[in-house]
Amino acid sequence: EPEVTQTPSHQVTQMGQEVILRCVPISNHLYFYWYRQILGQKVEFLVSFYNNEISEKSEIFDDQFSVERPDGSNFTLKIRSTKLEDSAMYFCASSEGQTNTGELFFGEGSRLTVL
Amino acid sequence: AQSVAQPEDQVNVAEGNPLTVKCTYSVSGNPYLFWYVQYPNRGLQFLLKYITGDNLVKGSYGFEAEFNKSQTSFHLKKPSALVSDSALYFCAVKGGSSYKLIFGSGTRLLVRP
């Protein structure tokens, strides 16, 4: 069964460092998303991406965050200058079409720890 | 603005008993509703969705959910709980033209043997 894969599974970084989280969405999916979850709590939307551009972003997704699809298969989330409060589990997801007709498929997550 | 509420932080049930995990929503327009499950240190797995049609929706692992428009609810149910159902359950809603899903705060289900 096709799945969304994420790397790394866990990354530890120093405050102020740049981090790149990588995702390989399901191959025929068109919509891509990043969510984050702090300490097993609420799952928060960060950004959605379609047709090589951001389609929607939340207030959390400020100038320190960026996304791109560099090679047609990977979908990356970059955090330019990490802060302590960026420590969370980051989930990538993809869907065939808009989420009103289909569910999102999530990866297993990348745990980011900022020291 | 779209929102979803899960009023219970935790639900405890004995194995073999029926379970209900509650969810209420607020959207403009027709709601598109989802349930996801998260096992420890894992991603979110899709359980079921309501888009249109029958108010009772059947999903994975024997779960079902009942859409109630007048009560703006979408409660998750299972006739007979298993210990392996113990996990974190999230209700989610999409409304309008937004691409994203909005998740509730989650309900931890604990099924005791």
Side-chain angles (χ1 to χ4, degrees), chain A residues 31 33 35 37 40-43 45 48 50 55-56 91 98-104 106-108 111, chain B residues 32 34 36 38 41-44 46 49 51 88 90 94 96-105 108:
Chain A
Y31 294 81
Y33 313 82
Y35 284 79
Q37 183 183 35
Q41 296 177 15
K42 191 168 185 175
V43 178
F45 169 77
S48 58
Y50 170 70
S55 49
E56 190 171 0
F91 291 105
Q98 293 185 27
T99 54
N100 60 339
T101 58
E103 66 271 25
L104 272 63
F106 284 82
E108 294 294 305
R111 182 175 298 281
Chain B
Y32 302 110
F34 302 79
Y36 282 80
Q38 185 180 31
N41 300 311
R42 303 293 301 276
L44 283 79
F46 169 78
K49 65 184 176 185
I51 304 297
L88 190 55
F90 290 96
K94 177 193 178 303
S97 60
S98 173
Y99 289 88
K100 66 180 184 285
L101 291 183
I102 298 169
F103 286 87
S105 54
R108 190 166 301 280

Side-chain angles (χ1 to χ4, degrees), chain A residues 19-89:
Chain A
V19 164
I20 297 177
L21 305 179
R22 293 181 169 80
C23 169
V24 179
I26 295 172
S27 61
N28 64 335
H29 284 187
L30 301 177
Y31 294 81
F32 314 114
Y33 313 82
W34 283 101
Y35 284 79
R36 78 175 185 188
Q37 183 183 35
I38 297 175
L39 288 177
Q41 296 177 15
K42 191 168 185 175
V43 178
E44 301 174 298
F45 169 77
L46 293 178
V47 66
S48 58
F49 192 86
Y50 170 70
N51 200 24
N52 287 319
E53 62 182 22
I54 291 173
S55 49
E56 190 171 0
K57 60 183 181 180
S58 71
E59 293 178 351
I60 302 169
F61 194 87
D62 60 22
D63 291 344
Q64 70 163 145
F65 292 93
S66 62
V67 290
E68 66 175 357
R69 197 148 189 255
D71 56 12
S73 61
N74 289 285
F75 177 52
T76 63
L77 174 69
K78 181 189 290 186
I79 309 175
R80 261 181 274 281
S81 178
T82 50
K83 298 178 282 197
L84 295 176
E85 54 265 38
D86 294 328
S87 294
M89 183 73 90

Side-chain angles (χ1 to χ4, degrees), chain B residues 60-79:
Chain B
S60 307
Y61 312 121
F63 283 93
E64 57 191 27
E66 187 170 10
F67 171 68
N68 187 317
K69 188 172 183 178
S70 63
Q71 296 185 1
T72 61
S73 66
F74 189 56
H75 300 332
L76 181 70
K77 300 181 180 184
K78 188 173 182 180

